[in-house]
mmCIF file of all heavy atoms in Angstrom:
data_model
loop_
_atom_site.group_PDB
_atom_site.id
_atom_site.type_symbol
_atom_site.label_atom_id
_atom_site.label_comp_id
_atom_site.label_asym_id
_atom_site.label_seq_id
_atom_site.Cartn_x
_atom_site.Cartn_y
_atom_site.Cartn_z
ATOM 1 N N SER A 1 13.477 3.094 -1.267
ATOM 2 C CA SER A 1 14.498 2.700 -2.290
ATOM 3 C C SER A 1 15.347 1.592 -1.579
ATOM 4 O O SER A 1 15.292 1.238 -0.440
ATOM 5 C CB SER A 1 15.362 3.910 -2.696
ATOM 6 O OG SER A 1 16.169 4.252 -1.683
ATOM 7 N N ARG A 2 16.146 1.017 -2.553
ATOM 8 C CA ARG A 2 17.018 -0.036 -2.014
ATOM 9 C C ARG A 2 18.017 0.446 -0.951
ATOM 10 O O ARG A 2 18.430 -0.288 -0.192
ATOM 11 C CB ARG A 2 17.702 -0.688 -3.288
ATOM 12 C CG ARG A 2 16.862 -1.775 -3.946
ATOM 13 C CD ARG A 2 17.472 -2.316 -5.195
ATOM 14 N NE ARG A 2 17.364 -1.399 -6.289
ATOM 15 C CZ ARG A 2 17.611 -1.598 -7.552
ATOM 16 N NH1 ARG A 2 17.844 -2.829 -7.906
ATOM 17 N NH2 ARG A 2 17.415 -0.822 -8.396
ATOM 18 N N ARG A 3 18.456 1.740 -1.279
ATOM 19 C CA ARG A 3 19.252 2.354 -0.217
ATOM 20 C C ARG A 3 18.512 2.747 1.041
ATOM 21 O O ARG A 3 19.090 2.856 2.052
ATOM 22 C CB ARG A 3 20.046 3.491 -0.836
ATOM 23 C CG ARG A 3 21.132 3.010 -1.802
ATOM 24 C CD ARG A 3 21.947 4.224 -2.315
ATOM 25 N NE ARG A 3 22.866 3.911 -3.306
ATOM 26 C CZ ARG A 3 23.789 4.699 -3.852
ATOM 27 N NH1 ARG A 3 23.668 6.039 -3.616
ATOM 28 N NH2 ARG A 3 24.649 4.316 -4.719
ATOM 29 N N GLY A 4 17.244 3.187 0.841
ATOM 30 C CA GLY A 4 16.467 3.797 1.918
ATOM 31 C C GLY A 4 16.366 2.975 3.133
ATOM 32 O O GLY A 4 16.348 3.483 4.171
ATOM 33 N N PHE A 5 16.051 1.689 2.953
ATOM 34 C CA PHE A 5 15.865 0.814 4.205
ATOM 35 C C PHE A 5 17.272 0.263 4.711
ATOM 36 O O PHE A 5 17.247 -0.351 5.808
ATOM 37 C CB PHE A 5 14.988 -0.385 3.781
ATOM 38 C CG PHE A 5 15.527 -1.417 2.840
ATOM 39 C CD1 PHE A 5 16.397 -2.404 3.254
ATOM 40 C CD2 PHE A 5 15.065 -1.241 1.515
ATOM 41 C CE1 PHE A 5 16.856 -3.353 2.272
ATOM 42 C CE2 PHE A 5 15.587 -2.236 0.610
ATOM 43 C CZ PHE A 5 16.523 -3.254 1.039
ATOM 44 N N LYS A 6 18.347 0.655 4.087
ATOM 45 C CA LYS A 6 19.561 0.336 4.574
ATOM 46 C C LYS A 6 20.381 1.516 5.276
ATOM 47 O O LYS A 6 20.832 1.387 6.413
ATOM 48 C CB LYS A 6 20.563 -0.223 3.463
ATOM 49 C CG LYS A 6 20.096 -1.557 2.810
ATOM 50 C CD LYS A 6 21.096 -1.907 1.800
ATOM 51 C CE LYS A 6 20.652 -3.182 1.055
ATOM 52 N NZ LYS A 6 21.603 -3.711 0.066
ATOM 53 N N SER A 7 20.155 2.635 4.836
ATOM 54 C CA SER A 7 20.883 3.782 5.187
ATOM 55 C C SER A 7 19.810 4.729 5.878
ATOM 56 O O SER A 7 18.873 5.232 5.228
ATOM 57 C CB SER A 7 21.554 4.553 4.090
ATOM 58 O OG SER A 7 21.920 5.875 4.446
ATOM 59 N N ASN A 8 20.027 5.027 7.174
ATOM 60 C CA ASN A 8 19.122 6.081 7.767
ATOM 61 C C ASN A 8 19.168 7.457 7.225
ATOM 62 O O ASN A 8 18.082 8.061 7.155
ATOM 63 C CB ASN A 8 19.521 6.064 9.358
ATOM 64 C CG ASN A 8 19.224 4.816 10.186
ATOM 65 O OD1 ASN A 8 18.334 4.151 9.765
ATOM 66 N ND2 ASN A 8 19.909 4.667 11.244
ATOM 67 N N ARG A 9 20.358 7.862 6.834
ATOM 68 C CA ARG A 9 20.482 9.217 6.181
ATOM 69 C C ARG A 9 19.447 9.278 4.913
ATOM 70 O O ARG A 9 18.852 10.230 4.713
ATOM 71 C CB ARG A 9 21.825 9.385 5.801
ATOM 72 C CG ARG A 9 22.111 10.791 5.160
ATOM 73 C CD ARG A 9 23.660 10.996 4.847
ATOM 74 N NE ARG A 9 24.145 9.914 4.035
ATOM 75 C CZ ARG A 9 24.162 9.904 2.636
ATOM 76 N NH1 ARG A 9 23.545 10.962 2.030
ATOM 77 N NH2 ARG A 9 24.627 8.967 2.015
ATOM 78 N N VAL A 10 19.596 8.268 4.081
ATOM 79 C CA VAL A 10 18.726 8.178 2.803
ATOM 80 C C VAL A 10 17.331 8.087 3.172
ATOM 81 O O VAL A 10 16.372 8.748 2.697
ATOM 82 C CB VAL A 10 19.255 7.065 1.896
ATOM 83 C CG1 VAL A 10 18.246 6.961 0.662
ATOM 84 C CG2 VAL A 10 20.761 7.303 1.380
ATOM 85 N N PHE A 11 17.109 7.085 4.139
ATOM 86 C CA PHE A 11 15.607 6.948 4.551
ATOM 87 C C PHE A 11 14.964 8.146 5.101
ATOM 88 O O PHE A 11 13.877 8.502 4.647
ATOM 89 C CB PHE A 11 15.702 5.914 5.674
ATOM 90 C CG PHE A 11 14.296 5.529 6.280
ATOM 91 C CD1 PHE A 11 13.311 5.044 5.365
ATOM 92 C CD2 PHE A 11 14.031 5.765 7.525
ATOM 93 C CE1 PHE A 11 12.050 4.788 5.899
ATOM 94 C CE2 PHE A 11 12.751 5.577 7.998
ATOM 95 C CZ PHE A 11 11.789 4.973 7.278
ATOM 96 N N PHE A 12 15.555 8.942 5.915
ATOM 97 C CA PHE A 12 14.988 10.129 6.429
ATOM 98 C C PHE A 12 14.733 11.211 5.349
ATOM 99 O O PHE A 12 13.878 12.061 5.452
ATOM 100 C CB PHE A 12 15.800 10.681 7.698
ATOM 101 C CG PHE A 12 15.562 9.776 8.966
ATOM 102 C CD1 PHE A 12 16.595 9.149 9.419
ATOM 103 C CD2 PHE A 12 14.301 9.564 9.485
ATOM 104 C CE1 PHE A 12 16.475 8.299 10.581
ATOM 105 C CE2 PHE A 12 14.080 8.655 10.522
ATOM 106 C CZ PHE A 12 15.268 8.134 11.061
ATOM 107 N N ARG A 13 15.770 11.267 4.438
ATOM 108 C CA ARG A 13 15.578 12.158 3.362
ATOM 109 C C ARG A 13 14.376 11.846 2.467
ATOM 110 O O ARG A 13 13.488 12.760 2.081
ATOM 111 C CB ARG A 13 16.815 12.139 2.361
ATOM 112 C CG ARG A 13 17.986 12.883 2.805
ATOM 113 C CD ARG A 13 19.079 12.778 1.934
ATOM 114 N NE ARG A 13 20.217 13.538 2.364
ATOM 115 C CZ ARG A 13 21.455 13.638 1.658
ATOM 116 N NH1 ARG A 13 21.497 12.941 0.496
ATOM 117 N NH2 ARG A 13 22.571 14.314 2.124
ATOM 118 N N GLU A 14 14.176 10.567 2.200
ATOM 119 C CA GLU A 14 13.010 10.191 1.524
ATOM 120 C C GLU A 14 11.670 10.391 2.250
ATOM 121 O O GLU A 14 10.638 10.882 1.711
ATOM 122 C CB GLU A 14 13.012 8.622 1.156
ATOM 123 C CG GLU A 14 14.169 8.267 0.245
ATOM 124 C CD GLU A 14 14.336 6.776 0.000
ATOM 125 O OE1 GLU A 14 13.560 5.982 0.457
ATOM 126 O OE2 GLU A 14 15.216 6.399 -0.754
ATOM 127 N N ILE A 15 11.682 10.149 3.561
ATOM 128 C CA ILE A 15 10.478 10.516 4.361
ATOM 129 C C ILE A 15 10.181 12.027 4.262
ATOM 130 O O ILE A 15 9.073 12.485 4.077
ATOM 131 C CB ILE A 15 10.617 10.095 5.888
ATOM 132 C CG1 ILE A 15 10.585 8.542 5.958
ATOM 133 C CG2 ILE A 15 9.533 10.682 6.717
ATOM 134 C CD1 ILE A 15 10.874 8.152 7.372
ATOM 135 N N HIS A 16 11.194 12.743 4.494
ATOM 136 C CA HIS A 16 11.003 14.310 4.479
ATOM 137 C C HIS A 16 10.558 14.751 3.098
ATOM 138 O O HIS A 16 9.656 15.746 3.048
ATOM 139 C CB HIS A 16 12.422 14.884 4.796
ATOM 140 C CG HIS A 16 12.360 16.513 4.974
ATOM 141 N ND1 HIS A 16 11.648 17.264 5.756
ATOM 142 C CD2 HIS A 16 12.898 17.387 3.915
ATOM 143 C CE1 HIS A 16 11.712 18.427 5.500
ATOM 144 N NE2 HIS A 16 12.483 18.549 4.416
ATOM 145 N N ARG A 17 11.096 14.181 2.074
ATOM 146 C CA ARG A 17 10.862 14.667 0.720
ATOM 147 C C ARG A 17 9.204 14.326 0.394
ATOM 148 O O ARG A 17 8.552 15.188 -0.052
ATOM 149 C CB ARG A 17 11.570 13.964 -0.298
ATOM 150 C CG ARG A 17 11.617 14.547 -1.658
ATOM 151 C CD ARG A 17 12.572 13.708 -2.657
ATOM 152 N NE ARG A 17 13.958 14.070 -2.266
ATOM 153 C CZ ARG A 17 14.811 13.117 -1.949
ATOM 154 N NH1 ARG A 17 14.464 11.909 -1.885
ATOM 155 N NH2 ARG A 17 16.096 13.404 -1.623
ATOM 156 N N LEU A 18 8.793 13.291 0.882
ATOM 157 C CA LEU A 18 7.337 12.881 0.634
ATOM 158 C C LEU A 18 6.460 13.560 1.554
ATOM 159 O O LEU A 18 5.441 14.107 1.125
ATOM 160 C CB LEU A 18 7.140 11.347 0.817
ATOM 161 C CG LEU A 18 5.783 10.843 0.620
ATOM 162 C CD1 LEU A 18 5.271 11.143 -0.799
ATOM 163 C CD2 LEU A 18 5.646 9.332 0.735
ATOM 164 N N LYS A 19 6.842 13.871 2.799
ATOM 165 C CA LYS A 19 5.983 14.624 3.792
ATOM 166 C C LYS A 19 5.723 15.982 3.384
ATOM 167 O O LYS A 19 4.721 16.698 3.677
ATOM 168 C CB LYS A 19 6.579 14.350 5.138
ATOM 169 C CG LYS A 19 6.225 13.210 5.943
ATOM 170 C CD LYS A 19 6.618 13.204 7.345
ATOM 171 C CE LYS A 19 6.178 11.976 8.029
ATOM 172 N NZ LYS A 19 6.466 11.962 9.515
ATOM 173 N N LYS A 20 6.799 16.634 2.656
ATOM 174 C CA LYS A 20 6.698 17.955 2.026
ATOM 175 C C LYS A 20 5.448 18.129 1.139
ATOM 176 O O LYS A 20 4.904 19.085 1.060
ATOM 177 C CB LYS A 20 7.883 18.375 1.550
ATOM 178 C CG LYS A 20 8.943 18.924 2.465
ATOM 179 C CD LYS A 20 10.310 19.226 1.855
ATOM 180 C CE LYS A 20 10.157 20.560 1.036
ATOM 181 N NZ LYS A 20 11.451 20.944 0.304
ATOM 182 N N ILE A 21 5.154 17.059 0.427
ATOM 183 C CA ILE A 21 4.193 17.051 -0.462
ATOM 184 C C ILE A 21 2.727 16.590 0.030
ATOM 185 O O ILE A 21 1.725 17.153 -0.367
ATOM 186 C CB ILE A 21 4.562 16.057 -1.680
ATOM 187 C CG1 ILE A 21 5.859 16.506 -2.343
ATOM 188 C CG2 ILE A 21 3.353 15.902 -2.697
ATOM 189 C CD1 ILE A 21 6.409 15.432 -3.409
ATOM 190 N N LEU A 22 2.739 15.666 0.990
ATOM 191 C CA LEU A 22 1.591 15.228 1.604
ATOM 192 C C LEU A 22 0.944 16.207 2.590
ATOM 193 O O LEU A 22 1.596 17.150 3.022
ATOM 194 C CB LEU A 22 1.894 13.883 2.386
ATOM 195 C CG LEU A 22 2.256 12.674 1.440
ATOM 196 C CD1 LEU A 22 2.509 11.442 2.444
ATOM 197 C CD2 LEU A 22 1.283 12.422 0.478
ATOM 198 N N ARG A 23 -0.322 16.137 2.745
ATOM 199 C CA ARG A 23 -0.955 16.914 3.764
ATOM 200 C C ARG A 23 -0.573 16.417 5.181
ATOM 201 O O ARG A 23 -0.293 15.275 5.429
ATOM 202 C CB ARG A 23 -2.599 16.814 3.592
ATOM 203 C CG ARG A 23 -2.978 17.185 2.329
ATOM 204 C CD ARG A 23 -4.409 16.897 2.113
ATOM 205 N NE ARG A 23 -4.936 17.380 0.773
ATOM 206 C CZ ARG A 23 -6.029 16.865 0.130
ATOM 207 N NH1 ARG A 23 -6.748 15.924 0.671
ATOM 208 N NH2 ARG A 23 -6.404 17.428 -0.996
ATOM 209 N N SER A 24 -0.708 17.304 6.186
ATOM 210 C CA SER A 24 -0.127 16.942 7.550
ATOM 211 C C SER A 24 -0.899 15.955 8.194
ATOM 212 O O SER A 24 -0.513 15.118 8.962
ATOM 213 C CB SER A 24 -0.258 18.310 8.300
ATOM 214 O OG SER A 24 -1.606 18.702 8.418
ATOM 215 N N GLU A 25 -2.179 15.736 7.723
ATOM 216 C CA GLU A 25 -3.046 14.705 8.374
ATOM 217 C C GLU A 25 -2.823 13.286 7.929
ATOM 218 O O GLU A 25 -3.225 12.243 8.487
ATOM 219 C CB GLU A 25 -4.633 15.047 8.199
ATOM 220 C CG GLU A 25 -5.035 14.909 6.797
ATOM 221 C CD GLU A 25 -5.146 16.234 6.199
ATOM 222 O OE1 GLU A 25 -4.447 17.126 6.587
ATOM 223 O OE2 GLU A 25 -6.021 16.370 5.201
ATOM 224 N N ASN A 26 -2.096 13.199 6.767
ATOM 225 C CA ASN A 26 -1.665 11.899 6.187
ATOM 226 C C ASN A 26 -0.471 11.204 7.065
ATOM 227 O O ASN A 26 0.573 11.596 6.847
ATOM 228 C CB ASN A 26 -1.310 11.921 4.732
ATOM 229 C CG ASN A 26 -1.205 10.636 4.045
ATOM 230 O OD1 ASN A 26 -0.442 9.830 4.495
ATOM 231 N ND2 ASN A 26 -2.016 10.451 3.028
ATOM 232 N N GLN A 27 -0.727 10.324 7.884
ATOM 233 C CA GLN A 27 0.326 9.587 8.786
ATOM 234 C C GLN A 27 0.875 8.513 7.785
ATOM 235 O O GLN A 27 0.202 7.806 7.270
ATOM 236 C CB GLN A 27 -0.293 8.894 9.933
ATOM 237 C CG GLN A 27 0.856 8.551 10.861
ATOM 238 C CD GLN A 27 0.337 8.132 12.259
ATOM 239 O OE1 GLN A 27 -0.875 8.213 12.477
ATOM 240 N NE2 GLN A 27 1.224 7.802 13.114
ATOM 241 N N LEU A 28 2.144 8.514 7.743
ATOM 242 C CA LEU A 28 2.802 7.771 6.722
ATOM 243 C C LEU A 28 2.944 6.286 7.038
ATOM 244 O O LEU A 28 3.389 6.056 8.209
ATOM 245 C CB LEU A 28 4.281 8.446 6.545
ATOM 246 C CG LEU A 28 4.886 8.251 5.045
ATOM 247 C CD1 LEU A 28 3.996 8.771 4.105
ATOM 248 C CD2 LEU A 28 6.176 8.972 5.021
#
């Protein structure tokens, strides 16, 4: 998101949210 690449806090939330849905073998 526009905030995601500026704020580390927002960015890591976005990564975590997507990784919860993806399979473990999918490197992001």
